Amino acid sequence: MKFLIINGPNINLLGLREPQIYGTQNYASLCSLVRNACKELDIECELFQSNHEGAIVDKIQDAYQNFDGIVINPAAYTHTSIAILDALKAVGVPTVEVHISDVSRREDFRQISYVSKVAIKTIMGQGIDGYRQAIEYLNEYLSK
């Protein structure tokens, strides 16, 4: 099995950006957690991070027939990007949405998630461990 792990804008600044919300672990720690979680489940993974919406859309399109599942934290694009939603719908790759913080308890503008309209599950508020949970859920979903 092969998963694509996508991270949107500013996720590369983990540990620096609002540590009271996103924690003190950095992006390298997140990548290590993801690789270890996938290795434990014998899943091949590719990690991708971009601050650019079009690059994320391109990567989602590239996932078609190349990946079995997608774990995505679209970050700020969660609330604004119909393009990312449309790309996910177009490729039809099972997707789990993950958020480090609990966006449901944050600002009003963060209450809209376009990705959740296509995601098979959303995990939020679990810190970077939410990625491990997303990988495990996606693995179970695809193993059925």
Side-chain angles (χ1 to χ4, degrees), residues 11 15-16 18-19 25 50 59 87 100 106 115-116 121 131 134:
I11 301 299
L16 298 174
E18 300 177 278
Q25 293 178 293
S50 180
K59 196 65 177 176
I100 295 167
R106 296 191 57 200
V115 171
S116 69
K121 184 168 184 73
Y131 287 81

Side-chain angles (χ1 to χ4, degrees), residues 23-69:
T24 57
Q25 293 178 293
N26 63 19
Y27 185 64
S29 297
L30 168 62
C31 292
S32 179
L33 179 145
V34 165
R35 286 187 186 102
N36 288 336
C38 287
K39 185 177 180 180
E40 287 175 14
L41 296 170
D42 199 29
I43 296 168
E44 184 180 343
C45 71
E46 181 178 327
L47 288 106
F48 177 78
Q49 188 278 325
S50 180
N51 296 319
H52 305 282
E53 182 180 29
I56 295 169
V57 169
D58 289 343
K59 196 65 177 176
I60 292 167
Q61 290 178 1
D62 290 344
Y64 181 69
Q65 294 187 331
N66 292 311
F67 290 90
D68 300 298

